[in-house]
Amino acid sequence: MTGADLDRGPHGVDREVAGFPAPAGETGGPVTARRTPTTAPLASGRTADVYALDGDRVLRRYRAGGDVRGEAAVMRHLHAAGYPVPRVHHADGRDLVLERVPGPSLLDAFLAGQVGLRAAARLLADLHARLHALPALRSTDPALRILHLDLHPQNVLLAPAGPVVIDGTNAAEGSPALDRAITALILAEVAVDRSLPLSAAASGLLSAYVAEAGPLGSVAGATARRARLGPPDAARLPEAAALVEATVRAGGGR
């Protein structure tokens, strides 16, 4: 969610965002569920399905194939640094075998009235701050950090030991302000869709998040980045971007 023209840093990495290729030579060990699972998925997103393997592990399988080793490398790096992501057991091809995390999503807890709007916003902002405090995996530029680029209430699970961030599909290295802007834009995408029951709640959460999160990156640039990531309804991006800008002006979120 930053500019289309990226400022390249001194180490040949885009200062705004750089993706993670699969590390050479990493196999991640054998995946134990190469066959299509016979049970229904625990959850399904736009690109992947999640299946229970046993009480402690889940299989996340991308429907269109791909190579999950880069994503797994980031998750292992974050897990080793103490950041709350699921432990990676195996990574191979389109399959990730991950630690199974008990607990509802932040969205479900919010809808059930177990987490208030301000507390949800503070949690998202805190998870961003903790992530961006860690060193990058590959870049040596101190201005660059690991970015999630899809941090929203459905991608936070409230485990008994604390919140856990899931779905590192879009992880990259770049400016932390980009990560914050993308979260704001995702919330705004829901807020501007008046056909959704969550529209009003998303608008309130956007205002609270902007007030808590700190400076956002360029909203125009964030919109361009979000469009490349493939939002559910790209036609709503201009209206969502305008809402983020208006919210920043009203709430002093820069």
Side-chain angles (χ1 to χ4, degrees):
M1 286 195 177
T2 41
D5 297 322
L6 302 180
D7 173 24
R8 297 190 69 83
H11 304 285
V13 179
D14 287 330
R15 289 188 58 87
E16 283 294 349
V17 62
F20 290 102
E26 180 182 325
T27 63
V31 173
T32 58
R34 286 189 178 278
R35 295 186 301 274
T36 301
T38 57
T39 58
L42 291 174
S44 293
R46 287 185 296 121
T47 60
D49 300 303
V50 178
Y51 300 89
L53 294 182
D54 52 40
D56 299 318
R57 301 176 305 154
V58 296
L59 166 67
R60 185 176 183 202
R61 172 168 286 170
Y62 288 90
R63 288 188 291 273
D67 188 343
V68 299
R69 290 177 297 163
E71 180 180 351
V74 178
M75 294 182 68
R76 287 173 173 140
H77 173 73
L78 293 177
H79 191 273
Y83 189 76
V85 293
R87 178 186 173 192
V88 176
H89 290 285
H90 302 298
D92 186 31
R94 62 174 178 156
D95 291 340
L96 266 175
V97 178
L98 302 167
E99 170 191 7
R100 185 171 184 173
V101 179
S105 70
L106 177 58
L107 176 62
D108 289 338
F110 176 73
L111 293 176
Q114 298 167 348
V115 178
L117 185 148
R118 184 65 62 178
R122 281 197 298 265
L123 180 55
L124 290 174
D126 178 65
L127 287 168
H128 263 150
R130 292 169 62 186
L131 177 63
H132 301 151
L134 299 174
L137 175 59
R138 292 184 171 83
S139 174
T140 58
D141 183 343
L144 302 184
R145 291 290 188 266
I146 294 175
L147 314 181
H148 187 275
L149 299 181
D150 199 20
L151 186 61
H152 56 75
Q154 281 184 294
N155 279 341
V156 178
L157 300 181
L158 301 182
V164 177
V165 177
I166 61 172
D167 193 355
T169 307
N170 296 335
E173 291 181 359
S175 164
L178 169 65
D179 218 359
R180 297 190 291 267
I182 287 204
T183 287
L185 191 59
I186 291 170
L187 296 174
E189 288 172 48
V190 179
V192 299
D193 188 347
R194 277 67 178 186
S195 68
L196 296 177
L198 288 174
S199 176
S203 180
L205 184 55
L206 170 64
S207 296
Y209 175 76
V210 166
E212 295 283 347
L216 305 185
S218 160
V219 176
T223 303
R225 176 66 184 177
R226 177 73 175 153
R228 293 196 296 273
L229 293 174
D233 188 355
R236 295 198 178 275
L237 282 175
E239 186 180 2
L243 178 59
V244 173
E245 293 278 19
T247 303
V248 168
R249 290 193 298 270
R254 283 190 185 275

